[in-house]
């Protein structure tokens, strides 16, 4: 990063920090604090809005951040990460945390950012990442397991998120196969697992998680129905606490997954399964299957009852929609 970009990011962070008190700040005041012109402050504000920060211009008064949250502060979570033996890399913005980790993979390594310019979702979709609002991170995990045994991995990641949030007191959490975390059929978190490393050596697994924490009403451009922890609880949520709980649970579950495979998680999955015993549509490249979801098998494949038979459907081949009854 060149020094001009770094300086601009620092100015953007400074404005966020000033606005995070939830009060109205005049352009003049912000200009004085940053020692820049009012016109330049306006440009910075425009940039923040482009990055998805929900700022309001209050006429005659200044700028207001309606649902403020503090910026991530790696100094604060570094202790917790140290206890988990996790190294980390934090930048104000990145193209994609998965991409960054892919370029320079490290085991037990966290890559986290406030904003992604090219956040990736499953099936080539884009993952919108409004600035300083949600959690966007990737975790590096090296494993000796053969690739064939990693089928249920993304389901284990979903279970880890749900368990962590459950421990923290959030309710009505459910999972939609293969790995969406949902509440009342609205998406709360998405998972994108990618693999690197050569076939002969250990596999390098990139576990990307996007978790809606403080996102509120203004993201009309997101195609799917969504919710956030702030929506569920009616208050702004400390992203750092959520991050640490999720990583902790993920580490516990990755260890168990390595020792016992997905079979150890089959029951947990079925407990949170949104579609269990419901009529569903399974979209495949060659058509749509209509049937009744019957949970998952010991390798994490979806069990679908159709044509009087229960058949396993494997990850990556299908998407699933709960039919309106
Ligand atoms: C999905 O489509 O449901 C998966 C979304 C995964 C988004 C996360 S955000 C952090 C990480 N970096 C990315 O580019 N994508 C994942």
């Amino acid at each position: 990063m060149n020094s001009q970009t770094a300086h601009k990011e620092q100015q953007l962070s400074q404005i966020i920090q000033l606005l995070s008190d939830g009060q109205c700040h005049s352009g003049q005041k912000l200009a004085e604090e940053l020692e820049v012109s009012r016109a330049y402050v306006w440009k910075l504000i425009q940039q923040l809005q482009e990055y998805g920060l929900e700022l309001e211009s209050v006429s005659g008064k200044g700028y207001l951040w309606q649902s403020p949250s503090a910026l991530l502060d790696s100094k604060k979570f570094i202790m917790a990460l140290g206890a988990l033996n996790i190294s980390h890399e934090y930048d104000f913005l990145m193209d994609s945390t998965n991409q960054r980790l892919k370029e320079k993979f490290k085991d037990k390594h966290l890559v986290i950012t406030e904003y992604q310019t090219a956040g990736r979702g499953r099936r080539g979709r884009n993952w919108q990442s409004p600035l300083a609002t949600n959690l966007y991170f990737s975790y590096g995990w090296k494993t000796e397991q053969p690739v064939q045994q990693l089928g249920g991995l993304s389901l284990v990641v979903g279970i880890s998120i749900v368990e962590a949030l459950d421990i923290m007191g959030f309710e009505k959490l459910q999972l939609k196969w293969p790995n969406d975390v949902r509440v009342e059929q609205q998406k709360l978190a998405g998972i994108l697992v990618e693999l690197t490393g050569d076939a002969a050596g250990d596999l390098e697994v990139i576990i990307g998680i996007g978790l809606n924490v403080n996102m509120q009403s203004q993201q009309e451009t997101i195609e799917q129905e969504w919710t956030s922890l702030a929506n569920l609880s009616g208050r702004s949520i400390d992203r750092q606490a959520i991050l640490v709980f999720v990583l902790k649970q993920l580490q516990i579950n990755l260890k168990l997954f390595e020792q016992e495979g997905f079979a150890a998680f089959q029951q947990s999955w079925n407990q949170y399964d949104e579609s269990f015993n419901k009529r569903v549509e399974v979209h495949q490249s060659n058509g749509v299957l209509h049937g009744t979801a019957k949970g998952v098998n010991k390798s994490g494949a979806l069990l679908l009852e159709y044509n009087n038979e229960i058949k396993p459907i494997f990850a990556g081949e299908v998407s699933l929609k709960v039919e309106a009854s």
Side-chain angles (χ1 to χ4, degrees):
M1 191 192 307
N2 65 36
S3 64
Q4 207 182 347
T5 316
H7 186 53
K8 188 161 175 211
E9 283 183 10
Q10 198 245 323
Q11 289 172 322
L12 292 170
S13 307
Q14 217 179 328
I15 295 205
I16 293 178
Q17 248 132 18
L18 291 165
L19 292 172
S20 68
D21 63 2
Q23 304 293 315
C24 224
H25 291 253
S26 70
Q28 181 62 40
K29 205 94 206 225
L30 292 172
E32 281 165 19
E33 294 274 0
L34 271 76
E35 299 177 355
V36 296
S37 68
R38 279 184 67 170
Y40 188 65
V41 164
W42 185 79
K43 271 194 176 163
L44 292 174
I45 293 279
Q46 293 262 303
Q47 179 79 83
L48 290 173
Q49 284 174 325
E50 266 167 41
Y51 287 166
L53 204 72
E54 298 184 355
L55 293 181
E56 196 186 327
S57 277
V58 184
S59 113
K61 286 194 170 163
Y63 304 104
L64 175 71
W65 188 5
Q66 293 120 324
S67 45
S69 72
L71 279 177
L72 292 167
D73 178 356
S74 53
K75 282 190 219 92
K76 286 196 183 149
F77 57 76
I78 204 162
M79 290 269 283
L81 293 185
L84 297 172
N85 199 15
I86 297 176
S87 58
H88 83 280
E89 191 177 336
Y90 163 79
D91 265 343
F92 185 69
L93 59 93
M94 289 182 196
D95 48 358
S96 145
T97 56
N98 268 32
Q99 183 57 31
R100 178 71 73 91
L101 188 54
K102 206 174 220 177
E103 281 159 14
K104 213 169 157 201
F105 182 86
K106 260 167 102 180
D107 188 27
K108 290 200 178 140
H109 187 63
L110 169 75
V111 178
I112 183 160
T113 190
E114 298 284 7
Y115 181 76
Q116 298 183 114
T117 52
R120 293 207 286 258
R122 291 178 62 235
R123 299 170 176 272
R125 282 192 292 251
N126 164 45
W127 187 259
Q128 290 201 27
S129 316
L131 181 68
T133 302
N134 299 322
L135 282 170
Y136 320 110
F137 63 96
S138 302
Y139 178 71
W141 181 58
K142 206 169 196 161
T143 177
E144 289 171 5
Q145 293 215 332
V147 69
Q148 310 85 276
Q149 268 169 42
L150 293 184
L153 173 63
S154 69
L155 284 74
V156 171
V157 179
I159 292 170
S160 307
I161 297 173
V162 168
E163 287 177 345
L165 295 175
D166 211 343
I167 295 168
M168 296 184 84
F170 293 96
E171 292 171 354
K172 300 187 188 162
L173 300 156
Q174 292 196 302
L175 289 160
K176 184 178 81 120
W177 191 88
N179 55 19
D180 282 359
V181 178
R182 312 226 295 179
V183 173
E184 294 178 337
Q185 297 184 20
Q186 296 172 321
K187 187 150 166 168
L188 181 67
I191 296 155
L192 180 66
V193 173
E194 297 184 87
L195 302 177
T196 63
D198 60 276
D202 287 352
L203 274 176
E204 297 170 350
V205 185
I206 294 155
I207 299 171
I209 297 178
L211 173 52
N212 299 337
V213 182
N214 286 318
M215 188 154 74
Q216 303 217 318
S217 54
Q218 286 187 14
Q219 308 293 332
E220 287 102 3
T221 44
I222 300 180
E223 284 163 23
Q224 308 176 58
E225 291 272 308
W226 60 267
T227 191
S228 66
L229 295 178
N231 272 352
L232 297 176
S233 62
R235 65 190 165 87
S236 174
I237 303 289
D238 173 7
R239 288 181 294 158
Q240 268 137 213
I242 305 285
L243 172 72
V244 171
F245 267 80
V246 169
L247 286 171
K248 209 172 184 169
Q249 202 58 30
L250 186 61
Q251 278 202 330
I252 294 170
N253 286 343
L254 287 176
K255 205 168 182 183
L256 184 61
F257 180 65
E258 205 156 40
Q259 288 161 353
E260 296 183 25
F262 185 77
F265 297 91
Q266 190 184 10
Q267 212 179 342
S268 303
W269 174 275
N270 289 337
Q271 176 194 337
Y272 292 112
D273 186 357
E274 171 192 86
S275 316
F276 193 79
N277 253 345
K278 293 207 174 113
R279 297 284 304 163
V280 293
E281 285 176 5
V282 179
H283 294 252
Q284 296 187 303
S285 54
N286 54 353
V288 182
L289 296 172
H290 297 261
T292 304
K294 291 286 178 189
V296 292
N297 70 9
K298 283 192 164 49
S299 4
L302 171 72
L303 295 172
L304 186 71
E305 186 178 62
Y306 66 105
N307 295 342
N308 300 321
E309 264 187 288
I310 296 183
K311 287 194 182 159
I313 309 285
F314 296 94
E317 291 175 16
V318 297
S319 69
L320 180 137
K321 272 189 184 156
V322 176
E323 287 175 347
S325 50

